[in-house]
Amino acid sequence: MSLSFDFAALHAAYAAGRRPEETVAEVYARIKAVGDPGIFIHLRDEAEVTAEAKALGAFDPEKPLWGLPFAIKDNIDLAGVPTTAACPAYAYTPARDATVVSELRAAGALAIGKTNLDQFAAGLVGVRSPYPIPKNSLDPAIVPGGSSAGSAVAVGHGIVSFALGTDTAGSGRVPAALNNIVGLKPTLGALSATGVVPACRTLDTISIFALTVADAYAAFQVAARYDQTDAFARAIAASPLVVPPPLSIGIPNADTIAFFGDAAQAGSFDAALGTLRSIGHQIIPLDFTPFFDVAEMLYGGAWVAERMTVIEELLRKDPEAVHPVTCEVVSAADALSAADAFRAIHRLADLKRVAEPFLNAVDLLAVPTIPTFYSVADLEADPITPNSNLGTYTNFVNLMDLCGIAVPTGMRSDGRPGSLTLLAKDGRDALCASLATEIHSTMAQTMGATGCALPERQVLEPGPVPGEITLAVVGAHMSGLPLNKELTERGARYLETTETAPDYRLYALAGGPPARPGLVRVGEGGRAIVLELWAMPETALGSFFEGIPAPLGLGSIALSDGRVVKGFLAEAEGVTDADDISAFGGWRAYLSSL
């Protein structure tokens, strides 16, 4: 394959004169060359897609997905093409695209076809389908991963630039790990579910597979449009990707991490953590017991009954139309009562409260995407246990309303792909993807984390974009410190660490916790003080400043390079009895001295 289908490579080719119909021809040639009938359930006619490509006209760089081929999991509607959810007896032909598909096509993307899946999105293995089973894009002996098997394999082979999956229990992450690609699982409700056959409607999201983090996130930015017609939709900002500040990252501690005896996987995870440390991030081991307790509830509790709501009519009328393993899993709902459902809701709330301090102690979580690998033969011998084990680090995520992204971390010692998943609280999709970009770029340069050439790392220039204001912080609001969450929870993003002009004094104010400094401009006799610049949405400033206590206030701060930004300043009379800590040059250095 002479041309990578990553976004940057294709758009560069288009700018140089390549026509999108040439790309369509290449897509279908690659499908033929791969020769796997299990990838697509419905493949659109090449002539029809070619006509759409020609209709795009001249290359339009304002359309972020112009001329990019993509695939769609066959529980997501594509107008005029049957939706089966991998169950022929369930099939229907929609008149309209799913909302997300419509957004992607409006941005210039070309829909190639509908991909295979674990039936009704019930599985993490990719072999629970009445159609031919997709083969893993790296090793046909290994399961392709489910439920979004076909979509992940299509991206893994380079057939399409990106693909849509869905994710309830990990179906947007497990197949990514098994096929050495990126799998982005957004905050629940960020992407519309209109036109999607649900698995568990309260826990589902469309997910995105791509060759790079930047590509997956670019598709997410296009698709993340609030949908008033979806009762579970939420307005989630798809903020720009930036180089992240130093972060605290929680991982399972030695007592709670599990690899099921896979030493190569343990080594791969340790190597990925080493990369995180090498680029300045802090690793904090946590007791993951409450997370794993939540995970057990997904298939061992009342959410199985929510799956029944989707297929109950078909299951009662024609049980033989349903895959036997899917039937076994979903039929467990018959033993559950309404009281069981409420008990499960109450227990989930209790467990989330137990896990809350662990989540609040760090900026993100990092876990192995999968604990180990399983073969197709393993699943033939035991269709349940390997599926359950593959969900070790994924099953709790949507129940706890976390966002996440799976990113390749280079090949393991045995040649199989390594993968790390970053998880964060809802709405922190940009933070996860920003750190994932850093990881993927670093690992690709040193270990060959992906077969495609990664685009140059994009670093946002210091300064706000429209709708944001640059804010300077010098104390407890800096990254990793106690009040930083007051910024991140309002959608603020880190820009850079820099210094003031040499005209300031820094004081340790009385009170707390948390301890706070006060910055005062004195002119002569001052010095440069280290601070951080953050971009804050203008709409969030009011609520932020309401919580700022005296003697602090908002003023203009001169930086060492001549820029002037808004930031915290203290009133001169408010520091009369405070300790002058200017000699330390900044708040972090002062804290380190205590």
Side-chain angles (χ1 to χ4, degrees):
M1 300 178 185
S2 58
L3 176 65
S4 171
F5 275 180
D6 69 274
F7 292 19
L10 261 185
H11 277 169
Y14 289 143
R18 181 184 178 90
R19 299 188 308 276
E21 53 266 37
E22 294 178 90
T23 298
V24 172
E26 178 66 17
V27 167
Y28 283 83
R30 292 182 183 189
I31 292 171
K32 184 177 180 181
V34 169
D36 183 353
I39 297 175
F40 289 93
I41 291 178
H42 296 286
L43 189 61
R44 295 181 70 200
D45 184 76
E46 182 177 353
E48 183 181 355
V49 184
T50 300
E52 284 186 11
K54 290 180 178 179
L56 289 173
F59 176 52
D60 183 359
E62 295 299 312
K63 289 189 173 182
L65 306 182
W66 195 93
L68 301 178
F70 77 109
I72 303 165
K73 185 176 179 178
D74 196 22
N75 60 344
I76 303 169
D77 288 348
L78 175 62
V81 178
T83 296
T84 71
C87 180
Y90 182 84
Y92 64 91
T93 301
R96 286 193 269 181
D97 290 339
T99 299
V100 165
V101 172
S102 178
E103 294 285 351
L104 298 172
R105 297 179 84 181
L110 299 167
I112 302 301
K114 306 289 290 297
T115 56
N116 205 348
L117 64 148
D118 279 330
Q119 190 178 78
F120 294 112
L124 291 174
V125 287
V127 301
R128 298 175 177 176
S129 172
Y131 298 100
I133 303 306
K135 295 181 177 64
N136 184 289
S137 63
L138 300 176
D139 180 355
I142 300 300
V143 293
S147 59
S148 311
S151 286
V153 171
V155 173
H157 278 302
I159 290 171
V160 291
S161 296
F162 70 100
L164 299 183
T166 60
D167 190 306
T168 305
S171 299
R173 292 160 280 154
V174 169
L178 290 164
N179 289 277
N180 197 36
I181 58 174
V182 171
L184 186 153
K185 189 217 78 71
T187 294
L188 296 180
L191 300 186
S192 169
T194 300
V196 180
V197 178
C200 290
R201 191 180 175 199
T202 60
L203 301 178
D204 290 342
T205 178
I206 287 178
S207 61
I208 300 169
F209 298 108
L211 293 170
T212 72
V213 176
D215 290 358
Y217 196 77
F220 170 66
Q221 287 181 302
V222 168
R225 301 288 182 269
Y226 177 71
D227 179 7
Q228 183 66 37
T229 68
D230 175 8
F232 290 92
R234 298 153 76 184
I236 301 295
S239 305
L241 297 184
V242 299
V243 178
L247 299 168
S248 57
I249 301 172
I251 64 167
N253 64 17
D255 292 332
T256 53
I257 199 162
F259 295 104
F260 299 97
D262 190 336
Q265 192 73 340
S268 175
F269 184 60
D270 284 344
L273 297 182
T275 296
L276 286 169
R277 291 188 183 97
S278 73
I279 53 182
H281 303 293
Q282 181 184 12
I283 304 301
I284 301 175
L286 302 173
D287 181 354
F288 258 60
T289 301
F291 299 96
F292 294 150
D293 288 344
V294 170
E296 290 177 2
M297 298 187 69
L298 188 62
Y299 283 99
W303 282 271
V304 174
E306 188 173 15
R307 290 181 180 271
M308 176 65 88
T309 65
V310 181
I311 65 171
E312 182 174 19
E313 182 179 352
L314 176 63
L315 195 59
R316 305 297 187 212
K317 181 177 67 177
D318 188 8
E320 292 186 359
V322 181
H323 191 281
V325 180
T326 307
C327 186
E328 178 184 349
V329 170
V330 177
S331 292
D334 288 336
L336 298 169
S337 67
D340 291 325
F342 282 103
R343 290 188 191 101
I345 292 170
H346 300 161
R347 175 160 167 73
L348 176 60
D350 289 339
L351 290 173
K352 288 169 74 174
R353 183 56 53 87
V354 172
E356 207 169 69
F358 298 104
L359 287 171
N360 290 339
V362 294
D363 296 308
L364 302 102
L365 301 175
V367 296
T369 305
I370 56 174
T372 188
F373 285 73
Y374 289 101
S375 68
V376 175
D378 290 332
L379 267 296
E380 290 172 351
D382 179 359
I384 301 298
T385 304
N387 185 92
S388 177
N389 291 348
L390 285 173
T392 299
Y393 299 107
T394 61
N395 284 351
F396 61 83
V397 173
N398 285 354
L399 281 167
M400 298 186 71
D401 198 12
L402 306 177
C403 61
I405 185 166
V407 58
T409 57
M411 294 302 175
R412 308 187 327 168
S413 58
D414 61 358
R416 288 178 177 172
S419 178
L420 181 80
T421 290
L422 300 171
L423 302 169
K425 292 180 180 179
D426 62 297
R428 295 188 178 182
D429 304 75
L431 181 62
C432 274
S434 293
L435 180 55
T437 300
E438 191 172 38
I439 295 168
H440 199 191
S441 297
T442 302
M443 300 301 285
Q445 291 164 13
T446 59
M447 299 177 66
T450 181
C452 75
L454 290 175
E456 288 296 315
R457 186 170 170 210
Q458 298 297 308
V459 179
L460 196 70
E461 289 299 319
V465 297
E468 294 179 331
I469 186 171
T470 301
L471 183 68
V473 294
V474 296
H477 284 95
M478 292 197 294
S479 57
L481 296 183
L483 298 182
N484 183 248
K485 63 182 180 180
E486 293 184 0
L487 296 176
T488 58
E489 288 175 350
R490 289 172 170 82
R493 56 188 181 84
Y494 170 85
L495 295 176
E496 61 176 304
T497 298
T498 185
E499 292 182 333
T500 68
D503 304 327
Y504 293 85
R505 305 297 296 179
L506 191 67
Y507 297 86
L509 302 177
R516 301 173 188 244
L519 185 70
V520 178
R521 188 166 192 174
V522 297
E524 251 185 77
R527 63 160 294 163
I529 302 296
V530 173
L531 50 69
E532 288 181 357
L533 300 183
W534 287 71
M536 169 76 84
E538 292 175 349
T539 54
L541 281 173
S543 66
F544 178 64
F545 284 119
E546 281 180 3
I548 304 304
L552 301 177
L554 181 65
S556 296
I557 297 177
L559 303 182
S560 57
D561 60 6
R563 287 178 291 165
V564 177
V565 298
K566 298 299 181 184
F568 291 115
L569 288 171
E571 299 171 359
E573 58 268 28
V575 299
T576 303
D577 298 321
D579 292 335
D580 187 333
I581 59 171
S582 306
F584 292 98
W587 186 241
R588 289 188 195 277
Y590 168 69
L591 292 179
S592 297
S593 74
L594 299 178

